[in-house]
């Protein structure tokens, strides 16, 4: 419901992992589930019978808020921790961490093959990382290193993420956030190559040692210029249409718009005034006067 137009890469990813949600939750760092407390055991039995990696992190009950005697709205309830509560936050300990270092990676430039391998139960995403780039294969003596190093977050913002990595051997840093070309990566202040890992996530290659890794969201300004130009054109078009319509309405509503005015006639002089004229005399009147 929050993604009405699913991007093609996301659609392919979901289609490939369209089965039991265990692998999807593992790859996407889905660590916590909010559900009934009684679901912990069924999840272990049905989804993870071998390793049983679902456990109750916090149990709680939903009760009326203090002072509310007859609750009728959702806002009238609150959660109260309780050992044997009906509800729980269930933790899936098999989920990959938000950020992780890998000393063993595999170049997977064929997307279809990469998706097939990610969905294969025999593939262990904890031990090996798929990278959509032609990276040199790791050396055999470092690829089997079970402790390639540690990575911690220094800051996390929507458009800027800073991590501190301490790589014991050459490694690839996986950040379980969705890959997009607008993201740029910098290692110790210097631009580096953004990698697409596990088909959908971001990553960067690191040399052995301590590094500061910064991911920045920097979209191309071309898109911004096109948006501004389209906005300016739209505003201009709306203004032109509004002015044209107002002018047409004014002409239609004016009483003199369709009836031309008659030219003004000069006022008659007193001698020409109808009131000054005398009616003509008859012939009998003229004779009698004589």
């Amino acid at each position: 419901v929050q993604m009405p137009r699913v991007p093609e890469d996301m659609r392919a990813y979901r289609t490939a992992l369209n089965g039991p949600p265990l692998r999807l939750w593992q790859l996407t760092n889905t660590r916590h589930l909010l559900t009934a407390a009684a679901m912990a055991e069924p999840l272990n039995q049905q989804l993870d019978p071998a390793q049983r990696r679902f456990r109750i992190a916090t149990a709680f009950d939903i009760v009326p808020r203090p002072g509310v005697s007859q609750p009728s709205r959702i806002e009238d309830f609150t959660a109260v921790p309780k050992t044997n509560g009906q509800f729980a936050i269930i933790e899936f300990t098999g989920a990959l961490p938000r950020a992780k270092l890998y000393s063993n990676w595999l170049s997977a430039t064929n997307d279809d093959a990469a998706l097939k391998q990610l969905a294969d139960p025999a593939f262990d995403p904890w031990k090996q990382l798929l990278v959509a780039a032609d990276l040199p294969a790791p050396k055999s003596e470092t690829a089997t290193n079970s402790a390639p190093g540690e990575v911690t977050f220094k800051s996390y913002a929507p458009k800027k993420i800073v991590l501190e990595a301490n790589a014991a051997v050459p490694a690839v840093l996986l950040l379980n956030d969705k890959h997009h070309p607008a993201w740029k990566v910098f290692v110790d202040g210097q631009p580096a190559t953004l990698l697409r890992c596990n088909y959908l996530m971001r990553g960067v290659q690191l040399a052995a040692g301590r590094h500061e890794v910064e991911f920045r969201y920097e979209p191309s300004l071309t898109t911004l210029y096109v948006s501004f130009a389209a906005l300016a054109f739209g505003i201009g078009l709306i203004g032109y249409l509004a002015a044209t319509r107002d002018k047409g309405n004014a002409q239609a509503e004016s009483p003199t718009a369709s009836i031309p005015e008659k030219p003004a006639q000069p006022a008659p002089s007193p001698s020409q005034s109808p009131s000054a004229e005398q009616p003509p005399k008859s012939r009998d009147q003229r004779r009698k006067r004589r």
Side-chain angles (χ1 to χ4, degrees), residues 71-90:
S72 59
R73 305 174 303 164
I74 294 178
E75 294 80 4
D76 295 336
F77 295 89
T78 187
V80 176
K82 187 177 180 180
T83 304
N84 298 321
Q86 294 182 342
F87 305 95
I89 297 174
I90 296 179

Side-chain angles (χ1 to χ4, degrees), residues 26-276:
Q26 184 178 45
L27 293 172
T28 56
N29 182 235
T30 304
R31 182 170 295 275
H32 297 100
L33 308 175
L34 184 63
T35 182
M39 287 297 298
E41 186 57 26
L43 286 170
N44 280 321
Q45 292 178 358
Q46 298 177 19
L47 299 181
D48 199 23
Q51 296 178 280
R52 301 179 61 85
R53 289 169 291 180
F54 291 94
R55 69 176 188 88
I56 294 179
T58 302
F60 60 92
D61 273 338
I62 297 177
V63 299
R65 290 183 178 275
V68 179
S69 58
Q70 295 181 345
S72 59
R73 305 174 303 164
I74 294 178
E75 294 80 4
D76 295 336
F77 295 89
T78 187
V80 176
K82 187 177 180 180
T83 304
N84 298 321
Q86 294 182 342
F87 305 95
I89 297 174
I90 296 179
E91 182 181 7
F92 173 46
T93 59
L96 292 177
R98 194 70 166 177
K100 185 181 186 311
L101 291 173
Y102 286 84
S103 61
N104 186 12
W105 61 85
L106 178 65
S107 293
T109 56
N110 185 295
D111 286 343
D112 292 336
L115 288 173
K116 185 176 180 180
Q117 188 164 3
L118 286 174
D120 188 351
F123 175 71
D124 188 354
W126 276 90
K127 296 180 179 179
Q128 193 173 48
L129 181 69
L130 301 184
V131 181
D134 291 324
L135 293 185
K139 297 181 179 180
S140 57
E141 60 270 18
T142 61
T144 57
N145 193 326
S146 59
E150 297 179 351
V151 56
T152 56
F153 283 89
K154 294 187 67 176
S155 64
Y156 193 103
K159 295 184 179 181
K160 183 179 178 181
I161 302 169
V162 182
L163 306 99
E164 185 173 313
N166 186 12
V169 294
V172 174
L173 169 62
L174 167 69
L175 177 63
N176 269 314
D177 274 348
K178 188 177 182 301
H179 178 276
H180 191 278
W183 280 96
K184 312 300 178 187
V185 60
F186 301 84
V187 178
D188 299 327
Q190 299 299 317
T193 301
L194 181 70
L195 301 176
R196 182 163 59 90
C197 303
N198 285 347
Y199 182 80
L200 204 63
M201 306 303 178
R202 299 198 296 269
V204 63
Q205 189 174 20
L206 300 176
R210 187 178 295 275
H211 305 281
E212 183 178 87
V213 181
E214 183 177 346
F215 291 89
R216 301 180 200 162
Y217 184 72
E218 298 179 351
S220 173
L221 293 179
T222 302
T223 305
L224 183 63
Y225 293 151
V226 171
S227 300
F228 279 145
L231 181 62
F233 175 77
I235 293 175
L237 181 60
I238 292 173
Y240 171 77
L241 294 176
T244 304
R245 185 181 63 179
D246 292 343
K247 183 178 180 181
N249 292 339
Q251 291 178 350
E253 295 174 359
S254 175
T256 60
S258 58
I259 304 176
E261 293 183 357
K262 293 182 179 180
Q265 298 292 334
S269 62
S271 60
Q272 296 177 343
S273 174
S275 61

